Amino acid sequence: MFVCDADLAQWENTLPELTGKARLPALTALAWHLRQRDPVRARQLGSEVLALLPAVAPQDVPVLRARLLLVAAEGAWVGGELDTAQYQADQALQLLAHGAGAPAGAPAPEPASLQARADACWVQAWVANDRGNSMAASGWLSQAAAAAHAAPDPVRIDIIGAAAGICAAFTDSAGLQPPWRPAANAELDAMPAIAAGWISDFFGARAFQRSEYGRAIGHLMRSFDTARSSGQVRRAIIIATNIGNAFTCLNAHEAALDWMQRGQDLARPTGWPLSVGMCLMQTAETLRQLGQREAAQTLLREALAVLAPLAGSRAYAVALEYEGDLALDLGNHAAALDSFTRLAARGDALGQGDFQSSARRGQAHALAHLGRPGEALFVAQGALVLARAKGDTLAQIAALQVLADIHALPARAGAPALAPPPEMEASCGTAPSVPLHYLLLALDIAVTIDGYTVPGALLDATAREYAAVGDFERAYAIALRAGAARDLTQSRDATNRAIAMQVQYQTERAQTEAEHHRQLAAAEARRAEVLQRTSATLAHLGAVGQEITAQLESAAVFRALDRHVHGLLDATLFSVFLIEPDGEWLASAFSVEAGRPLAPLRVALNDPHADSARCVRERRELQVALQEGEVNVNLIPGTLPTLSMLFAPLAVGDRVLGVMTVQSMRANAYGERERLIFRTLCAYGAIALDNANAYRQVAATQQQLLDQNLELERAYQALEEVSLTDQLTGLRNRRFFLRHVDADVAMSLRGYDDLQHRPRPTGDGDRQAPNDLVFYMVDLDHFKHVNDRYGHAAGDSILVQMQARLREVFRESDYVIRWGGEEFLVLARATHRDDASVLAERMRRAVGERDFVLPDGELLRKTCSIGFACFPFLPTQPRLLSWPQVVELADQGLYIAKRSGRDAWAALHATGAGNAVDLFPRLMHALPQALADGVVRVVSNLAGPLDLDGERRRTGLSIDLEL
């Protein structure tokens, strides 16, 4: 989904060495991960991928085309072209659906296809979010999460879950609880960096919603660093402005403006409307709070113009709120009313309570100063009702202050007086005036808020109103409280500024220390490996590892290497060359010969004679050994003639940073031991990234094994599913039934055991919870006639339609089994025995009252016969008969129905009377006598006499017939 810059550079370095179809993986990866870093180059690489598609296997083409569409879709999205972005993402989803369309039994979609589907849903979610459709955005994120789980892709799962949590946090108070369980803050260091960045973003949003601004800044700074290093340019811009907003809330305006500037520096080169607009409006709000209203107005106008194509977004709604507050500060109440009216419409559309309450508060303020006190009163009362309904105490205080202000304004000539609130009249006027009534309510609410300091402005207004009614003693006392509150607020402002500075310092220090500890740990691990292979140099290499990993500056590292190289090797010359940013030259970063520094030197990487350039090109260690008197053709003028030379690349994974060399004036100075020491010293130069690459390789291997295990599991599950399913009808088969029935029988028996240990209720409670199982045997009447007359294809068609009618009657939780031929067995689970005949009649009518359609279109009317029996057969003795015996009794009922005329149902029910000894053999061999003895009764839908004699059939389940 996203990768860090180091991984991207690895693909960049690999690409020039590849030709033809072998370039395709690197090209596709680069095009995808450059989509925000460098959109123009991403499109160019995408064109090259398209040209190579004819050489790709057909089954792989849809995923590649979909990936290129998503590159274009994301470019359109961040550019504000939402219709284009949505269309291209739709096209990608259609390609992936077409590529996934396979016959039943085919393998599940490949992880690459599922990952692409997750990314397409991701783009759709953010397009919907920018349109202001939070419900659609939530739905798309849910689909993205489902695809990521199916892949499975743990990093995508965490990223999408965090994004859903961030979106929910702005919808309502429920958003403070994440829609997925995020990792604990302490676990983030052990997670992949990009997933940890998104989860930090979620923690920051949640802390911001709770007004924990210092905590929010710490999380958001971590998230910002990750977004910058992983190509998430738009996210980095948004996070920068959010950090600035948090600093503004702490009154640390210089830090706020610094972060706003960082966001603008990232946003302006892109020209992306939402990114540029957010930076402009947040900077404008900071300037407004600093009293720079004209500058704020200029920036805010520009922000609204840039955001106009995204008028449905949350960013545009925030800009409207800032515009309204600025208009109030400027005394332009008509403009403020217009801004807050539009904000109210957007707040209602977005369903975000912060906009709804602030819009009504602003409208009431503006209306009151436009000479429309009646309307202002109505709107302010609505704001108060909304705040009370949401339990928002601060919004209630703000609404009450506006209501007091409305009543305190002098009435216009000829205008009717505003009526006092009903609750004031009901309290018999305990407050001397209406403004005081509202202000005292606000104060009552304020003192209930834990840790809340009553604002000086609220106390000042209360003091003025007491003075207006002549109560100067109270006015003076409250004025003193107002002064104390202002002093406390100023003290808190200073504390907030200190918190902001402390958070910024601690965050940056923690990042530096974390990087140092990571490098130290990696170096220690590598050092241990080296020590096992060369105990003779244990003391020297230990010192090298400790000293180098303790340094955070390259110059200090070079000096430590130089000192230990000379302590371990015969080194007349020691040099470190690094590749310049243009990738064309090597430049000496450190060179010492015989104790004196050498002048800086540059070597072209394509120089065919320079051993240092050759070492980089071939990416391998080189050893040059000259004999006494042999001329060194590569000798640099002004340097000593050396005979023994070692060159080794400074490698970080597959990427080469440069080359290190040691040279001696002695012939054959470097044997195997010296080469091992030199190789180890070279590894220290890039130990941290090298170790990280090793971890990534381990993770990739683990993921490959996991994927293989998942494939085997899916194949096993597919085979298992086939073995339990009737291939003609799609119903479960006898094997499935025999595997599951014992568990249901055991559950039923446990239910009856529990009933026997509980007091039996009386009256309406006599009907106990449904612990019964009902076995139905269903047989199509005269089915052989269908096969004989219309052919087996017609018979198969009727059986398929029969399963549909069975599913209509019975629940999904019931077992519907094709028992054999035209016969079906149904186990109705957790069904009360009193309801069994109702289901049987419903099944009889579902078959007999509707025609079956044969393959040639001819209609054919068929009927069925049904027999059923309940388990336990005798509720007072639940274990008297086994479930196979009950199935035999259901089959007995089926044949009673058939012999008695068909198109009927019949069942045997125990009466509980008589002797239950040898009940099952008596029912199977001497049913008429059992009926006469009263131990059993036969129920049926047939009105006439039932045929109880005749040939008895065996189901093959019971083993007790001969007892």
Side-chain angles (χ1 to χ4, degrees):
M1 202 168 190
F2 308 106
V3 297
C4 294
D5 293 337
D7 298 313
L8 194 72
Q10 183 175 330
W11 287 317
E12 291 276 20
N13 290 333
T14 302
L15 192 61
E17 302 175 2
L18 304 174
T19 59
K21 181 181 175 182
R23 291 170 58 83
L24 196 58
L27 283 172
T28 306
L30 281 171
W32 173 243
H33 292 294
L34 287 171
R35 64 193 186 277
Q36 288 191 29
R37 289 176 167 102
D38 189 347
V40 173
R41 184 153 183 262
R43 289 193 294 271
Q44 293 172 346
L45 294 171
S47 300
E48 188 173 347
V49 171
L50 285 173
L52 291 173
L53 286 184
V56 177
Q59 66 270 20
D60 297 331
V61 170
V63 174
L64 290 173
R65 287 191 178 276
R67 183 60 69 186
L68 296 181
L69 278 168
L70 292 178
V71 172
E74 188 155 323
W77 159 55
V78 296
E81 301 172 6
L82 302 186
D83 290 338
T84 301
Q86 181 177 348
Y87 173 78
Q88 289 169 331
D90 283 339
Q91 294 294 307
L93 285 170
Q94 291 178 20
L95 274 173
L96 296 169
H98 176 73
E110 292 292 328
S113 176
L114 292 167
Q115 290 168 347
R117 175 171 177 78
D119 295 345
C121 295
W122 173 266
V123 173
Q124 292 278 32
W126 291 115
V127 169
N129 185 73
D130 284 2
R131 293 189 191 276
N133 191 342
S134 56
M135 184 175 296
S138 177
W140 281 114
L141 285 175
S142 296
Q143 293 189 46
H149 277 282
D153 190 325
V155 174
R156 277 180 169 83
I157 291 170
D158 283 335
I159 291 173
I160 295 165
I166 293 168
C167 292
F170 291 105
T171 302
D172 51 40
S173 59
L176 295 179
Q177 295 300 322
W180 99 121
R181 190 195 73 81
N185 192 27
E187 300 173 9
L188 294 181
D189 291 337
M191 297 183 67
I194 295 170
W198 271 92
I199 295 174
S200 292
D201 199 352
F202 165 76
F203 284 141
R206 187 168 63 175
F208 199 103
Q209 292 294 92
R210 294 171 173 171
S211 300
E212 298 172 355
Y213 302 114
R215 187 184 301 274
I217 290 168
H219 289 302
L220 293 176
M221 282 184 173
R222 175 174 185 161
S223 183
F224 175 78
D225 291 340
T226 304
R228 282 293 309 276
S229 65
S230 57
Q232 302 178 70
V233 179
R234 176 171 141 146
R235 195 74 206 157
I237 295 167
I238 292 173
I239 295 169
T241 60
N242 288 341
I243 294 173
N245 196 9
F247 274 119
T248 298
C249 293
L250 292 172
N251 292 326
H253 298 301
E254 291 184 7
L257 288 172
D258 175 64
W259 277 96
M260 301 301 181
Q261 187 62 50
R262 293 193 198 190
Q264 288 188 36
D265 291 342
L266 289 172
R268 286 197 181 277
T270 69
W272 299 338
L274 188 134
S275 302
V276 174
M278 284 190 65
C279 293
L280 291 173
M281 72 180 185
Q282 294 290 4
T283 305
E285 174 64 9
T286 302
L287 290 174
R288 181 185 75 84
Q289 296 193 24
L290 288 170
Q292 304 295 318
R293 294 171 183 170
E294 292 184 3
Q297 190 172 40
T298 300
L299 286 179
L300 196 53
R301 286 173 179 170
E302 184 180 351
L304 285 165
V306 171
L307 289 170
L310 303 171
S313 66
R314 177 179 172 84
Y316 191 82
V318 173
L320 288 175
E321 181 178 357
Y322 291 168
E323 183 185 49
D325 287 330
L326 180 59
L328 289 176
D329 287 354
L330 294 171
N332 191 346
H333 298 104
L337 179 60
D338 177 68
S339 297
F340 284 118
T341 301
R342 287 186 288 156
L343 176 62
R346 288 307 313 142
D348 292 340
L350 291 169
Q352 296 178 354
D354 52 349
F355 293 140
Q356 294 166 341
S357 60
S358 60
R360 285 156 179 77
R361 179 266 306 166
Q363 284 177 311
H365 190 164
L367 286 168
H369 289 272
L370 289 171
R372 298 158 64 180
E375 296 175 65
L377 183 62
F378 177 78
V379 176
Q381 288 170 341
L384 181 59
V385 170
L386 181 62
R388 284 173 172 168
K390 292 182 174 294
D392 189 338
T393 52
L394 293 181
Q396 292 178 51
I397 293 172
L400 289 167
Q401 285 183 274
V402 172
L403 284 166
D405 186 46
I406 293 169
H407 282 277
L409 288 173
R412 298 177 64 182
L418 297 175
E423 64 269 21
M424 183 177 176
E425 294 180 346
S427 63
C428 301
T430 54
S433 68
V434 176
L436 272 173
H437 168 75
Y438 285 120
L439 291 170
L440 291 175
L441 285 177
L443 288 172
D444 288 342
I445 294 173
V447 298
T448 66
I449 304 174
D450 187 25
Y452 181 68
T453 301
V454 180
L458 176 57
L459 293 168
D460 278 336
T462 308
R464 284 196 302 270
E465 292 303 322
Y466 270 119
V469 298
D471 191 344
F472 297 105
E473 182 178 355
R474 289 191 181 182
Y476 177 71
I478 293 177
L480 291 178
R481 288 176 58 194
R486 278 191 295 273
D487 292 341
L488 181 58
T489 302
Q490 291 171 359
S491 174
R492 288 195 173 181
D493 288 344
T495 301
N496 286 341
R497 291 188 180 94
I499 290 172
M501 296 175 64
Q502 183 182 16
V503 167
Q504 191 171 19
Y505 168 75
Q506 288 180 343
T507 301
E508 292 173 355
R509 178 181 177 185
Q511 291 172 341
T512 302
E513 289 181 350
E515 178 67 15
H516 167 65
H517 288 310
R518 188 175 66 84
Q519 293 181 358
L520 186 62
E524 287 296 322
R526 187 55 167 259
R527 185 174 65 88
E529 179 183 349
V530 173
L531 293 178
Q532 291 177 356
R533 295 185 295 171
T534 174
S535 58
T537 57
L538 178 62
H540 287 297
L541 291 180
V544 169
Q546 291 176 358
E547 184 169 354
I548 292 176
T549 56
Q551 305 300 326
L552 296 177
E553 295 181 0
S554 58
V557 172
F558 292 147
R559 288 194 298 270
L561 281 171
D562 177 57
R563 185 165 57 256
H564 289 289
V565 161
H566 286 87
L568 295 167
L569 301 170
D570 186 340
T572 304
L573 179 144
F574 168 65
S575 291
V576 177
F577 290 80
L578 298 178
I579 300 175
E580 292 185 346
D582 62 5
E584 302 293 333
W585 292 85
L586 278 171
S588 60
F590 184 87
S591 292
V592 173
E593 183 184 67
R596 62 182 178 87
L598 295 179
L601 177 67
R602 297 174 74 233
V603 179
L605 275 175
N606 59 3
D607 187 338
H609 305 294
D611 292 319
S612 56
R614 177 187 164 203
C615 175
V616 172
R617 291 197 306 271
E618 298 182 4
R619 303 187 179 197
R620 65 184 181 89
E621 179 182 327
L622 298 179
Q623 181 174 14
V624 178
L626 302 178
Q627 299 302 316
E628 293 288 349
E630 191 174 351
V631 178
N632 183 359
V633 296
N634 292 326
L635 182 65
I636 299 171
T639 61
L640 298 174
T642 54
L643 299 178
S644 300
M645 291 156 272
L646 286 177
F647 298 84
L650 293 171
V652 179
D654 294 332
R655 184 162 58 97
V656 177
L657 299 178
V659 63
M660 195 164 88
T661 179
V662 291
Q663 301 180 18
S664 171
M665 296 180 66
R666 288 195 306 110
N668 304 316
Y670 304 131
E672 185 59 36
R673 174 184 172 277
E674 288 75 16
R675 290 175 59 191
L676 177 61
I677 294 172
F678 179 66
R679 193 180 303 129
T680 302
L681 293 173
C682 290
Y684 279 121
I687 190 67
L689 288 177
D690 182 62
N691 190 61
N693 181 63
Y695 287 145
R696 285 194 297 272
Q697 292 177 354
V698 171
T701 302
Q702 291 175 338
Q703 185 62 46
Q704 183 179 5
L705 293 174
L706 178 61
D707 291 342
Q708 291 173 351
N709 288 336
L710 287 174
E711 289 297 325
L712 290 173
E713 180 65 21
R714 291 189 189 108
Y716 172 80
Q717 291 176 354
L719 290 173
E720 183 72 5
E721 185 69 15
V722 169
S723 71
L724 299 175
T725 304
D726 176 62
Q727 298 304 301
L728 173 63
T729 63
L731 296 174
R732 295 299 189 180
N733 58 19
R734 185 182 295 229
R735 184 168 179 262
F736 174 89
F737 174 79
L738 295 176
R739 174 176 291 187
H740 292 86
V741 66
D742 286 329
D744 289 277
V745 167
M747 185 180 298
S748 176
L749 291 174
R750 282 197 300 272
Y752 270 90
D753 291 343
D754 291 342
L755 288 175
Q756 291 177 357
H757 290 89
R758 292 201 307 262
R760 183 175 180 84
T762 60
D764 294 339
D766 288 344
R767 181 182 170 96
Q768 298 293 337
N771 296 314
D772 297 325
L773 302 175
V774 184
F775 293 89
Y776 293 89
M777 297 293 294
V778 183
D779 187 86
L780 281 166
D781 296 331
H782 302 299
F783 184 77
K784 184 175 183 300
H785 172 72
V786 177
N787 285 333
D788 292 342
R789 180 173 179 180
Y790 300 97
H792 287 281
D796 290 348
S797 175
I798 288 177
L799 291 175
V800 172
Q801 295 174 63
M802 183 66 178
Q803 65 85 19
R805 300 189 189 187
L806 285 166
R807 291 185 191 276
E808 292 174 8
V809 173
F810 294 99
R811 300 165 300 187
E812 288 186 2
S813 59
D814 297 332
Y815 298 154
V816 182
I817 309 297
R818 186 181 180 196
W819 199 243
E822 70 276 19
E823 195 170 45
F824 301 87
L825 170 65
V826 179
L827 172 55
R829 307 165 68 200
T831 300
H832 201 284
R833 61 184 63 227
D834 294 344
D835 300 328
S837 59
V838 176
L839 288 174
E841 177 60 17
R842 194 182 301 165
M843 184 68 250
R844 184 190 69 81
R845 298 181 64 180
V847 175
E849 294 182 358
R850 285 156 48 194
D851 291 333
F852 289 86
V853 182
L854 300 184
D856 61 359
E858 183 176 346
L859 301 180
L860 183 64
R861 184 65 61 93
K862 296 297 295 177
T863 62
C864 71
S865 297
I866 305 167
F868 64 89
C870 299
F871 181 90
F873 187 72
L874 187 58
T876 58
Q877 300 183 52
R879 291 173 173 78
L880 179 65
L881 297 188
S882 65
W883 71 260
Q885 292 172 328
V886 174
V887 173
E888 293 282 1
L889 296 181
D891 195 65
Q892 178 87 304
L894 170 65
Y895 274 84
I896 291 173
K898 281 190 172 293
R899 290 193 298 267
S900 301
R902 292 183 170 84
D903 189 19
W905 52 265
L908 301 181
H909 282 301
T911 64
N915 188 358
V917 176
D918 295 332
L919 179 60
F920 179 70
R922 290 161 59 193
L923 295 180
M924 298 302 294
H925 296 297
L927 179 59
Q929 184 59 46
L931 285 170
D933 294 341
V935 298
V936 71
R937 60 188 177 90
V938 178
V939 295
S940 174
N941 66 310
L942 295 174
L946 300 176
D947 186 352
L948 304 179
D949 295 319
E951 181 182 355
R952 177 183 53 79
R953 193 187 65 150
R954 290 284 304 278
T955 65
L957 289 174
S958 177
I959 60 173
D960 303 314
L961 286 179
E962 306 304 327
L963 295 178

